[in-house]
Amino acid sequence: MSDKYLTVTEVADLLGIREENVLRMAQHGVLPQPVTIDGKPHFAEEPILRRREEEDYAVPSAGVYLSAGEDFCYFKVVKATHTVLYKNWPFAAFTLWDGSLHIRPWLTHVVDDVPDHENILLSCEDANVPEVRLEDLPEPTSIVWGYRWVGQHDLADVAVAPTAKH
C-alpha cells in the first residue's frame, strides 16, 4: 500500500475535474476523505489512481449532483455511443466502466435498473450518435425495450411506430 499523498490540485489534474469539485466529491463520499498535512487537505494516492483507472473505461468520466434540500445524489453520466432502432423507436446503446453493453430508450434519464451497477444518468443529447443494427453490436448485458413515458411498457407487443427521429 502506497504512503504517498496527493494535493487537491494533483487529484483534480488526475481526474480531469475542477479543484473545487475535489473536496465536494469527498464530502459526499464519491472520493475518500482527505487527511490534513501541513494544514492542507491531501488524498491517499492509491484510491485516487484506482478511481482514475476505473473511469478510463467510462464514456465519459463525468457526473452530476442532484439535491433536494440537504440530501444529495451523485450520478455518473454516460453518453449513448450508438442509436439502435427497434420497431422504428430509437434506443440508446451505451457501455459502462466494466465494458458491459446496455440498451435503453433514447431519452436522457436516470437508469436505475442496470444489473450489478450503481444508478447512472444516460445522456442522449448528442444527435450525431451513429445508428447501428442490433445484430452489429456485441451481445448486450441488458436491454429494456420500453417507453413508459408514452404508455408502452414493452415494445415487443406493440406495432411498429411511425418513423421516429432522435
Side-chain angles (χ1 to χ4, degrees):
M1 184 168 195
S2 172
D3 289 337
K4 184 173 180 187
Y5 288 88
L6 304 170
T7 66
V8 171
T9 301
E10 291 170 326
V11 171
D13 289 345
L14 277 171
L15 298 180
I17 61 176
R18 296 185 349 212
E19 287 183 34
E20 56 265 24
N21 289 335
V22 172
L23 292 175
R24 183 178 301 129
M25 290 172 75
Q27 178 184 9
H28 297 293
V30 178
L31 292 177
Q33 290 298 310
V35 296
T36 302
I37 301 174
D38 295 329
K40 295 183 180 178
H42 286 72
F43 293 83
E45 179 184 51
E46 190 173 313
I48 300 300
L49 293 177
R50 190 170 46 247
R51 179 180 174 90
R52 178 180 165 200
E53 183 177 307
E54 290 169 0
E55 288 197 352
D56 281 345
Y57 298 107
V59 182
S61 57
V64 63
Y65 287 96
L66 300 178
S67 68
E70 296 294 316
D71 295 327
F72 285 87
C73 291
Y74 176 79
F75 298 96
K76 291 180 181 177
V77 176
V78 177
K79 288 186 178 180
T81 57
H82 296 89
T83 302
V84 177
L85 287 182
Y86 179 72
K87 296 193 173 186
N88 286 340
W89 289 91
F91 287 81
F94 59 95
T95 303
L96 293 181
W97 297 264
D98 62 357
S100 61
L101 178 69
H102 303 271
I103 298 176
R104 295 296 183 278
W106 185 270
L107 171 72
T108 296
H109 67 289
V110 172
V111 177
D112 61 359
D113 60 356
V114 178
D116 301 320
H117 287 82
E118 60 192 33
N119 297 344
I120 57 132
L121 181 66
L122 174 60
S123 173
C124 296
E125 301 300 314
D126 187 356
N128 296 318
V129 173
E131 185 177 316
V132 297
R133 296 178 317 160
L134 181 60
E135 53 270 17
D136 294 335
L137 291 172
E139 181 70 26
T141 302
S142 70
I143 301 175
V144 172
W145 296 129
Y147 273 86
R148 287 185 205 105
W149 55 275
V150 293
Q152 304 298 335
H153 295 279
D154 185 358
L155 289 182
D157 301 326
V158 176
V160 174
T163 303
K165 299 285 184 202
H166 65 274

Short mmCIF file of all heavy atoms in Angstrom, two decimals, residues 91-137:
data_model
loop_
_atom_site.label_atom_id
_atom_site.label_comp_id
_atom_site.label_asym_id
_atom_site.label_seq_id
_atom_site.Cartn_x
_atom_site.Cartn_y
_atom_site.Cartn_z
N PHE A 91 -33.41 3.73 -29.62
CA PHE A 91 -32.87 3.27 -28.34
C PHE A 91 -31.39 3.61 -28.28
O PHE A 91 -30.72 3.68 -29.30
CB PHE A 91 -33.09 1.76 -28.16
CG PHE A 91 -34.52 1.42 -27.89
CD1 PHE A 91 -35.43 1.33 -28.93
CD2 PHE A 91 -34.96 1.24 -26.59
CE1 PHE A 91 -36.76 1.04 -28.67
CE2 PHE A 91 -36.29 0.95 -26.32
CZ PHE A 91 -37.19 0.86 -27.37
N ALA A 92 -30.92 3.85 -27.07
CA ALA A 92 -29.51 4.21 -26.85
C ALA A 92 -28.72 2.98 -26.42
O ALA A 92 -29.12 2.27 -25.51
CB ALA A 92 -29.42 5.28 -25.76
N ALA A 93 -27.61 2.76 -27.09
CA ALA A 93 -26.66 1.73 -26.67
C ALA A 93 -25.54 2.46 -25.95
O ALA A 93 -25.05 3.49 -26.42
CB ALA A 93 -26.12 0.96 -27.87
N PHE A 94 -25.14 1.95 -24.78
CA PHE A 94 -24.07 2.59 -24.01
C PHE A 94 -23.24 1.53 -23.31
O PHE A 94 -23.72 0.45 -23.00
CB PHE A 94 -24.62 3.62 -23.01
CG PHE A 94 -25.58 3.04 -22.00
CD1 PHE A 94 -25.14 2.64 -20.75
CD2 PHE A 94 -26.93 2.93 -22.30
CE1 PHE A 94 -26.04 2.11 -19.82
CE2 PHE A 94 -27.83 2.41 -21.38
CZ PHE A 94 -27.38 2.01 -20.14
N THR A 95 -21.98 1.88 -23.07
CA THR A 95 -21.04 0.97 -22.44
C THR A 95 -20.66 1.52 -21.08
O THR A 95 -20.37 2.70 -20.94
CB THR A 95 -19.77 0.82 -23.30
OG1 THR A 95 -20.17 0.36 -24.60
CG2 THR A 95 -18.81 -0.18 -22.70
N LEU A 96 -20.66 0.65 -20.06
CA LEU A 96 -20.27 1.06 -18.71
C LEU A 96 -18.79 0.77 -18.48
O LEU A 96 -18.09 0.22 -19.32
CB LEU A 96 -21.15 0.35 -17.68
CG LEU A 96 -22.62 0.77 -17.72
CD1 LEU A 96 -23.42 0.03 -16.65
CD2 LEU A 96 -22.75 2.27 -17.52
N TRP A 97 -18.32 1.13 -17.28
CA TRP A 97 -16.91 1.08 -16.93
C TRP A 97 -16.31 -0.30 -17.01
O TRP A 97 -15.13 -0.46 -17.22
CB TRP A 97 -16.73 1.68 -15.53
CG TRP A 97 -17.12 3.11 -15.51
CD1 TRP A 97 -16.29 4.17 -15.64
CD2 TRP A 97 -18.43 3.64 -15.41
NE1 TRP A 97 -17.02 5.34 -15.64
CE2 TRP A 97 -18.35 5.05 -15.49
CE3 TRP A 97 -19.70 3.08 -15.28
CZ2 TRP A 97 -19.43 5.88 -15.43
CZ3 TRP A 97 -20.80 3.91 -15.21
CH2 TRP A 97 -20.66 5.29 -15.30
N ASP A 98 -17.12 -1.32 -16.83
CA ASP A 98 -16.61 -2.69 -16.89
C ASP A 98 -16.67 -3.27 -18.30
O ASP A 98 -16.39 -4.43 -18.52
CB ASP A 98 -17.38 -3.60 -15.93
CG ASP A 98 -18.87 -3.70 -16.27
OD1 ASP A 98 -19.32 -3.03 -17.23
OD2 ASP A 98 -19.57 -4.44 -15.58
N GLY A 99 -17.04 -2.44 -19.29
CA GLY A 99 -17.11 -2.87 -20.67
C GLY A 99 -18.45 -3.48 -21.05
O GLY A 99 -18.64 -3.89 -22.20
N SER A 100 -19.41 -3.55 -20.12
CA SER A 100 -20.71 -4.14 -20.42
C SER A 100 -21.55 -3.19 -21.28
O SER A 100 -21.56 -1.99 -21.06
CB SER A 100 -21.44 -4.50 -19.13
OG SER A 100 -21.68 -3.35 -18.34
N LEU A 101 -22.25 -3.77 -22.24
CA LEU A 101 -23.10 -3.01 -23.16
C LEU A 101 -24.55 -3.12 -22.70
O LEU A 101 -25.02 -4.20 -22.34
CB LEU A 101 -22.97 -3.57 -24.58
CG LEU A 101 -23.84 -2.92 -25.64
CD1 LEU A 101 -23.37 -1.49 -25.93
CD2 LEU A 101 -23.81 -3.74 -26.92
N HIS A 102 -25.26 -1.98 -22.73
CA HIS A 102 -26.65 -1.93 -22.30
C HIS A 102 -27.46 -1.12 -23.31
O HIS A 102 -26.91 -0.24 -23.97
CB HIS A 102 -26.77 -1.31 -20.91
CG HIS A 102 -25.95 -2.03 -19.90
ND1 HIS A 102 -26.44 -3.08 -19.18
CD2 HIS A 102 -24.66 -1.87 -19.53
CE1 HIS A 102 -25.49 -3.54 -18.38
NE2 HIS A 102 -24.40 -2.83 -18.58
N ILE A 103 -28.76 -1.41 -23.40
CA ILE A 103 -29.64 -0.68 -24.31
C ILE A 103 -30.87 -0.22 -23.54
O ILE A 103 -31.49 -1.00 -22.82
CB ILE A 103 -30.04 -1.56 -25.51
CG1 ILE A 103 -28.78 -1.93 -26.31
CG2 ILE A 103 -31.06 -0.83 -26.39
CD1 ILE A 103 -29.03 -2.86 -27.46
N ARG A 104 -31.18 1.07 -23.68
CA ARG A 104 -32.34 1.66 -23.02
C ARG A 104 -33.02 2.62 -23.99
O ARG A 104 -32.43 3.03 -24.99
CB ARG A 104 -31.91 2.45 -21.76
CG ARG A 104 -31.32 1.61 -20.64
CD ARG A 104 -32.35 0.63 -20.09
NE ARG A 104 -31.86 -0.15 -18.98
CZ ARG A 104 -31.12 -1.25 -19.07
NH1 ARG A 104 -30.74 -1.68 -20.24
NH2 ARG A 104 -30.76 -1.93 -18.01
N PRO A 105 -34.24 3.05 -23.69
CA PRO A 105 -34.91 4.03 -24.56
C PRO A 105 -34.06 5.29 -24.77
O PRO A 105 -33.33 5.71 -23.87
CB PRO A 105 -36.20 4.36 -23.79
CG PRO A 105 -36.46 3.12 -22.99
CD PRO A 105 -35.10 2.63 -22.59
N TRP A 106 -34.17 5.86 -25.97
CA TRP A 106 -33.42 7.08 -26.31
C TRP A 106 -34.06 8.26 -25.59
O TRP A 106 -35.01 8.88 -26.05
CB TRP A 106 -33.43 7.33 -27.81
CG TRP A 106 -32.57 8.50 -28.17
CD1 TRP A 106 -32.95 9.79 -28.25
CD2 TRP A 106 -31.18 8.46 -28.44
NE1 TRP A 106 -31.87 10.58 -28.56
CE2 TRP A 106 -30.77 9.79 -28.69
CE3 TRP A 106 -30.22 7.46 -28.50
CZ2 TRP A 106 -29.47 10.13 -28.99
CZ3 TRP A 106 -28.92 7.80 -28.81
CH2 TRP A 106 -28.55 9.12 -29.04
N LEU A 107 -33.54 8.53 -24.42
CA LEU A 107 -34.08 9.57 -23.56
C LEU A 107 -33.04 9.85 -22.49
O LEU A 107 -32.52 8.90 -21.90
CB LEU A 107 -35.38 9.06 -22.92
CG LEU A 107 -36.04 9.89 -21.84
CD1 LEU A 107 -36.66 11.14 -22.45
CD2 LEU A 107 -37.11 9.08 -21.13
N THR A 108 -32.72 11.11 -22.24
CA THR A 108 -31.82 11.42 -21.14
C THR A 108 -32.57 11.19 -19.84
O THR A 108 -33.58 11.83 -19.59
CB THR A 108 -31.32 12.88 -21.24
OG1 THR A 108 -30.55 13.01 -22.44
CG2 THR A 108 -30.45 13.24 -20.04
N HIS A 109 -32.08 10.22 -19.05
CA HIS A 109 -32.78 9.87 -17.81
C HIS A 109 -31.88 9.07 -16.89
O HIS A 109 -30.83 8.57 -17.29
CB HIS A 109 -34.06 9.08 -18.12
CG HIS A 109 -33.83 7.72 -18.70
ND1 HIS A 109 -33.36 7.50 -19.98
CD2 HIS A 109 -34.01 6.49 -18.17
CE1 HIS A 109 -33.27 6.21 -20.22
NE2 HIS A 109 -33.65 5.57 -19.13
N VAL A 110 -32.29 8.97 -15.63
CA VAL A 110 -31.58 8.15 -14.66
C VAL A 110 -31.92 6.70 -14.95
O VAL A 110 -33.09 6.33 -15.05
CB VAL A 110 -31.96 8.52 -13.21
CG1 VAL A 110 -31.34 7.53 -12.22
CG2 VAL A 110 -31.52 9.94 -12.89
N VAL A 111 -30.89 5.89 -15.12
CA VAL A 111 -31.07 4.46 -15.35
C VAL A 111 -30.78 3.76 -14.03
O VAL A 111 -29.65 3.81 -13.52
CB VAL A 111 -30.13 3.95 -16.46
CG1 VAL A 111 -30.28 2.45 -16.64
CG2 VAL A 111 -30.43 4.69 -17.77
N ASP A 112 -31.81 3.15 -13.46
CA ASP A 112 -31.66 2.53 -12.14
C ASP A 112 -31.86 1.02 -12.17
O ASP A 112 -32.01 0.39 -11.14
CB ASP A 112 -32.64 3.16 -11.15
CG ASP A 112 -34.10 2.99 -11.56
OD1 ASP A 112 -34.37 2.39 -12.63
OD2 ASP A 112 -34.96 3.47 -10.82
N ASP A 113 -31.83 0.44 -13.37
CA ASP A 113 -32.09 -0.99 -13.47
C ASP A 113 -30.96 -1.77 -14.15
O ASP A 113 -31.17 -2.86 -14.66
CB ASP A 113 -33.40 -1.22 -14.23
CG ASP A 113 -33.37 -0.66 -15.65
OD1 ASP A 113 -32.37 -0.02 -16.03
OD2 ASP A 113 -34.35 -0.85 -16.38
N VAL A 114 -29.75 -1.21 -14.14
CA VAL A 114 -28.62 -1.92 -14.73
C VAL A 114 -28.11 -2.94 -13.71
O VAL A 114 -27.76 -2.57 -12.59
CB VAL A 114 -27.49 -0.94 -15.12
CG1 VAL A 114 -26.30 -1.69 -15.70
CG2 VAL A 114 -28.00 0.08 -16.13
N PRO A 115 -28.10 -4.21 -14.09
CA PRO A 115 -27.68 -5.25 -13.14
C PRO A 115 -26.27 -5.02 -12.60
O PRO A 115 -25.35 -4.72 -13.36
CB PRO A 115 -27.73 -6.54 -13.97
CG PRO A 115 -28.59 -6.22 -15.15
CD PRO A 115 -28.44 -4.75 -15.40
N ASP A 116 -26.11 -5.14 -11.29
CA ASP A 116 -24.80 -5.07 -10.62
C ASP A 116 -24.06 -3.76 -10.82
O ASP A 116 -22.83 -3.72 -10.80
CB ASP A 116 -23.90 -6.23 -11.06
CG ASP A 116 -24.52 -7.58 -10.77
OD1 ASP A 116 -25.14 -7.71 -9.69
OD2 ASP A 116 -24.40 -8.48 -11.61
N HIS A 117 -24.79 -2.66 -11.02
CA HIS A 117 -24.16 -1.34 -11.18
C HIS A 117 -24.96 -0.31 -10.39
O HIS A 117 -26.15 -0.47 -10.16
CB HIS A 117 -24.11 -0.91 -12.64
CG HIS A 117 -23.09 -1.65 -13.44
ND1 HIS A 117 -23.33 -2.89 -13.97
CD2 HIS A 117 -21.83 -1.33 -13.78
CE1 HIS A 117 -22.26 -3.30 -14.62
NE2 HIS A 117 -21.33 -2.37 -14.51
N GLU A 118 -24.27 0.78 -10.05
CA GLU A 118 -24.96 1.90 -9.42
C GLU A 118 -25.79 2.62 -10.47
O GLU A 118 -25.60 2.42 -11.67
CB GLU A 118 -23.94 2.84 -8.79
CG GLU A 118 -22.96 3.42 -9.80
CD GLU A 118 -21.78 4.11 -9.16
OE1 GLU A 118 -21.34 3.68 -8.09
OE2 GLU A 118 -21.31 5.09 -9.74
N ASN A 119 -26.70 3.45 -10.02
CA ASN A 119 -27.53 4.23 -10.93
C ASN A 119 -26.65 5.19 -11.72
O ASN A 119 -25.65 5.71 -11.20
CB ASN A 119 -28.57 5.03 -10.16
CG ASN A 119 -29.53 4.14 -9.41
OD1 ASN A 119 -29.63 2.95 -9.68
ND2 ASN A 119 -30.25 4.72 -8.48
N ILE A 120 -27.01 5.43 -12.97
CA ILE A 120 -26.27 6.34 -13.83
C ILE A 120 -27.25 7.31 -14.48
O ILE A 120 -28.46 7.09 -14.47
CB ILE A 120 -25.47 5.59 -14.92
CG1 ILE A 120 -26.42 4.72 -15.77
CG2 ILE A 120 -24.38 4.76 -14.33
CD1 ILE A 120 -26.20 4.88 -17.22
N LEU A 121 -26.70 8.38 -15.06
CA LEU A 121 -27.50 9.30 -15.85
C LEU A 121 -27.13 9.06 -17.30
O LEU A 121 -25.98 9.30 -17.70
CB LEU A 121 -27.24 10.75 -15.45
CG LEU A 121 -28.05 11.79 -16.23
CD1 LEU A 121 -29.54 11.66 -15.92
CD2 LEU A 121 -27.58 13.19 -15.92
N LEU A 122 -28.05 8.54 -18.09
CA LEU A 122 -27.82 8.29 -19.51
C LEU A 122 -28.07 9.57 -20.27
O LEU A 122 -29.16 10.13 -20.20
CB LEU A 122 -28.75 7.18 -20.01
CG LEU A 122 -28.73 6.90 -21.51
CD1 LEU A 122 -27.33 6.50 -21.98
CD2 LEU A 122 -29.75 5.84 -21.86
N SER A 123 -27.06 10.03 -20.99
CA SER A 123 -27.18 11.25 -21.77
C SER A 123 -27.44 10.92 -23.23
O SER A 123 -26.63 10.25 -23.88
CB SER A 123 -25.89 12.09 -21.66
OG SER A 123 -25.96 13.19 -22.54
N CYS A 124 -28.55 11.39 -23.74
CA CYS A 124 -28.91 11.19 -25.15
C CYS A 124 -29.03 12.55 -25.84
O CYS A 124 -29.90 12.76 -26.68
CB CYS A 124 -30.22 10.40 -25.25
SG CYS A 124 -30.12 8.74 -24.61
N GLU A 125 -28.17 13.46 -25.49
CA GLU A 125 -28.22 14.82 -26.02
C GLU A 125 -27.56 14.96 -27.38
O GLU A 125 -27.85 15.88 -28.12
CB GLU A 125 -27.57 15.80 -25.04
CG GLU A 125 -28.20 15.81 -23.66
CD GLU A 125 -29.67 16.20 -23.70
OE1 GLU A 125 -30.00 17.17 -24.38
OE2 GLU A 125 -30.47 15.51 -23.06
N ASP A 126 -26.67 14.05 -27.73
CA ASP A 126 -25.91 14.13 -28.98
C ASP A 126 -26.71 13.51 -30.12
O ASP A 126 -26.91 12.30 -30.17
CB ASP A 126 -24.58 13.42 -28.82
CG ASP A 126 -23.66 13.61 -30.02
OD1 ASP A 126 -24.09 14.23 -31.02
OD2 ASP A 126 -22.51 13.14 -29.96
N ALA A 127 -27.16 14.34 -31.04
CA ALA A 127 -27.95 13.85 -32.18
C ALA A 127 -27.07 13.22 -33.25
O ALA A 127 -27.58 12.64 -34.20
CB ALA A 127 -28.75 15.00 -32.78
N ASN A 128 -25.75 13.30 -33.12
CA ASN A 128 -24.83 12.77 -34.12
C ASN A 128 -24.29 11.39 -33.77
O ASN A 128 -23.29 10.96 -34.32
CB ASN A 128 -23.67 13.74 -34.34
CG ASN A 128 -24.16 15.05 -34.90
OD1 ASN A 128 -25.01 15.08 -35.77
ND2 ASN A 128 -23.65 16.15 -34.38
N VAL A 129 -24.95 10.70 -32.85
CA VAL A 129 -24.52 9.35 -32.48
C VAL A 129 -24.83 8.42 -33.66
O VAL A 129 -25.93 8.47 -34.22
CB VAL A 129 -25.27 8.89 -31.21
CG1 VAL A 129 -24.99 7.44 -30.90
CG2 VAL A 129 -24.87 9.77 -30.04
N PRO A 130 -23.87 7.57 -34.06
CA PRO A 130 -24.12 6.71 -35.21
C PRO A 130 -25.23 5.68 -34.95
O PRO A 130 -25.36 5.16 -33.85
CB PRO A 130 -22.78 6.01 -35.44
CG PRO A 130 -22.02 6.16 -34.18
CD PRO A 130 -22.54 7.39 -33.49
N GLU A 131 -26.00 5.41 -35.99
CA GLU A 131 -27.05 4.40 -35.91
C GLU A 131 -26.48 3.06 -36.34
O GLU A 131 -25.75 2.97 -37.33
CB GLU A 131 -28.21 4.80 -36.82
CG GLU A 131 -29.40 3.89 -36.72
CD GLU A 131 -30.55 4.36 -37.58
OE1 GLU A 131 -30.83 5.57 -37.58
OE2 GLU A 131 -31.14 3.51 -38.27
N VAL A 132 -26.79 2.01 -35.57
CA VAL A 132 -26.34 0.66 -35.91
C VAL A 132 -27.51 -0.31 -35.78
O VAL A 132 -28.51 -0.02 -35.12
CB VAL A 132 -25.19 0.19 -34.99
CG1 VAL A 132 -23.96 1.06 -35.14
CG2 VAL A 132 -25.62 0.13 -33.54
N ARG A 133 -27.35 -1.46 -36.41
CA ARG A 133 -28.33 -2.52 -36.24
C ARG A 133 -27.95 -3.31 -34.99
O ARG A 133 -26.78 -3.46 -34.66
CB ARG A 133 -28.34 -3.45 -37.46
CG ARG A 133 -28.77 -2.72 -38.72
CD ARG A 133 -28.74 -3.60 -39.95
NE ARG A 133 -27.51 -4.41 -39.96
CZ ARG A 133 -27.36 -5.52 -40.67
NH1 ARG A 133 -28.33 -5.96 -41.41
NH2 ARG A 133 -26.22 -6.18 -40.64
N LEU A 134 -28.93 -3.82 -34.29
CA LEU A 134 -28.70 -4.57 -33.06
C LEU A 134 -27.73 -5.72 -33.31
O LEU A 134 -26.82 -5.97 -32.51
CB LEU A 134 -30.01 -5.09 -32.49
CG LEU A 134 -29.92 -5.88 -31.19
CD1 LEU A 134 -29.31 -5.03 -30.08
CD2 LEU A 134 -31.28 -6.39 -30.77
N GLU A 135 -27.89 -6.40 -34.43
CA GLU A 135 -27.02 -7.55 -34.71
C GLU A 135 -25.57 -7.16 -35.01
O GLU A 135 -24.69 -8.02 -35.01
CB GLU A 135 -27.59 -8.40 -35.86
CG GLU A 135 -27.91 -7.64 -37.11
CD GLU A 135 -29.33 -7.09 -37.18
OE1 GLU A 135 -30.02 -7.00 -36.15
OE2 GLU A 135 -29.74 -6.72 -38.28
N ASP A 136 -25.32 -5.86 -35.23
CA ASP A 136 -23.94 -5.40 -35.45
C ASP A 136 -23.20 -5.08 -34.16
O ASP A 136 -22.01 -4.80 -34.18
CB ASP A 136 -23.94 -4.17 -36.36
CG ASP A 136 -24.42 -4.50 -37.77
OD1 ASP A 136 -24.30 -5.67 -38.17
OD2 ASP A 136 -24.92 -3.58 -38.43
N LEU A 137 -23.92 -5.10 -33.04
CA LEU A 137 -23.32 -4.81 -31.73
C LEU A 137 -22.91 -6.11 -31.04
O LEU A 137 -23.47 -7.17 -31.32
CB LEU A 137 -24.31 -4.08 -30.83
CG LEU A 137 -24.68 -2.65 -31.23
CD1 LEU A 137 -25.82 -2.16 -30.35
CD2 LEU A 137 -23.48 -1.75 -31.11
#
